[in-house]
Every structure is written in structure tokens, then in C-alpha cells.
Amino acid sequence: MGRKHGRDVRLVHPAHTTMDCATCGARTKHALPLAMRTYACTSCGVVSPRDKNSARVMLVRAGWNPDGVEGVRPPGPQAQVAA
Ligand SMILES: [Zn+2]
């Protein structure tokens, strides 16, 4: 279906998305209890709502890095002209 409609479809394994850190990629030792609504990374210390973290993990796995995650943007047209 995705190919038929010309879309870039990527399959993302949904496992561990609540356990992985969307910022540094570290995986927690244990799944968060459902009652715990906030994801706190034990590695880099980032804190975010668990649903938001999971969504970002899936996006990163699909190969898409949202701008600003690492503070680095891909070179724009200006850089190309300068070179
Ligand atoms: Zn982290």
C-alpha cells in the first residue's frame, strides 16, 4: 500500500519504545510502571512525558531526526552556495 501510493513507509518495531531514551538512546533496565507517566533517563538525565518520549524514539528509529534534537541542522542551501 505504501509503495502504491508513493509514500515512504518504514516499519518500526514498537518494542522497548517506552524504555529507550529518545535523546541519548540508552535503554532502561526495566519497563516503566504504567503509573509512572514521566520518563526519566538514568543515563543523560532527560525527563519527558513517556508518551512523547516513545513517539520520538519511534521517529528516530524510522530514520527521521527532528531538528534540534542534537542541536545540529543539516547544511542548508546557503552552505552549498558558499562552497
Ligand atoms: Zn538519555
Side-chain angles (χ1 to χ4, degrees):
M1 279 297 274
R3 189 169 301 167
K4 182 181 176 184
H5 292 282
R7 295 213 181 143
D8 184 14
V9 175
R10 297 166 200 239
L11 298 178
V12 177
H13 202 293
H16 304 306
T17 51
T18 41
M19 296 165 63
D20 284 4
C21 174
T23 302
C24 73
R27 180 164 297 173
T28 56
K29 293 284 194 294
H30 304 283
L32 293 175
L34 281 176
M36 194 172 168
R37 300 307 302 167
T38 304
Y39 177 91
C41 179
T42 53
S43 184
C44 72
V46 73
V47 176
S48 63
R50 59 179 292 155
D51 292 338
K52 196 171 180 182
N53 183 72
S54 303
R56 185 162 293 179
V57 168
M58 283 186 259
L59 287 175
V60 171
R61 279 192 195 180
W64 181 71
N65 279 302
D67 281 342
V69 164
E70 302 291 342
V72 176
R73 284 171 160 270
Q78 295 89 348
Q80 307 270 332
V81 171

